[in-house]
Amino acid sequence: MQTAVQLYSLSASSLSLTAQLKAVADAGFDGVEFAGLPADPKPVRSTLNRLELAVPSAHIPLGDLESGVESTVEPYREFDIETVVIPYVDPKRLDEGTIRGATAAIDSIAADLAALGLRPAYHNHDAEFQRIVEGER
């Protein structure tokens, strides 16, 4: 697998998921990354196979992972993901005093993912680059 499209990038599209996957394959990409799962993953898996699209990774919210790593990633196993991307941390959790709890949660989740044979990744946004001084940004 060389290049994948994060399907969230197509979230405003009026195309069905099947049509989006076909458009991605027709554009020459060989993979996609989910940001959320389809209601019924089995037909999607069939479409991915037919279009020869891989699913190397998925964006899974931190809160979902905190509720149970193994149970949260289990449905994604249908797609043979290798990497779980934490896509966002609520900026309230990035304030002085709470950021340590957020980083501890991410560290713990990363260890749990590694134990399951999955690589952790983090997709940062601008909030992580704000200066924190005595609880204020």
Side-chain angles (χ1 to χ4, degrees), residues 19-124:
Q20 289 178 12
L21 294 173
K22 184 171 180 347
V24 167
D26 289 348
F29 294 96
D30 54 3
V32 295
E33 179 181 75
F34 285 103
L37 279 177
D40 186 1
K42 297 235 184 278
V44 176
R45 175 79 261 174
S46 176
T47 300
L48 291 164
N49 289 343
R50 181 174 46 80
L51 296 171
E52 299 180 356
L53 289 172
V55 183
S57 55
H59 272 56
I60 304 177
L62 177 59
D64 292 357
L65 292 164
E66 286 177 307
S67 69
V69 172
E70 190 167 358
S71 61
T72 300
V73 300
E74 184 57 36
Y76 292 88
R77 297 285 195 171
E78 171 77 26
F79 300 104
D80 300 320
I81 65 166
E82 299 171 352
T83 302
V84 170
V85 181
I86 297 172
Y88 176 80
V89 171
D90 184 329
K92 292 176 191 162
R93 292 185 75 177
L94 299 176
D95 288 331
E96 186 176 1
T98 59
I99 192 168
R100 292 191 195 290
T103 56
I106 292 169
D107 284 347
S108 175
I109 288 165
D112 291 346
L113 290 169
L116 295 171
L118 296 167
R119 288 187 305 248
Y122 182 77
H123 177 158
N124 70 285

Side-chain angles (χ1 to χ4, degrees), residues 1 3-10 24 27 29-34:
M1 216 251 359
T3 55
V5 171
Q6 182 189 45
L7 289 177
Y8 183 80
S9 303
L10 304 175
V24 167
F29 294 96
D30 54 3
V32 295
E33 179 181 75
F34 285 103

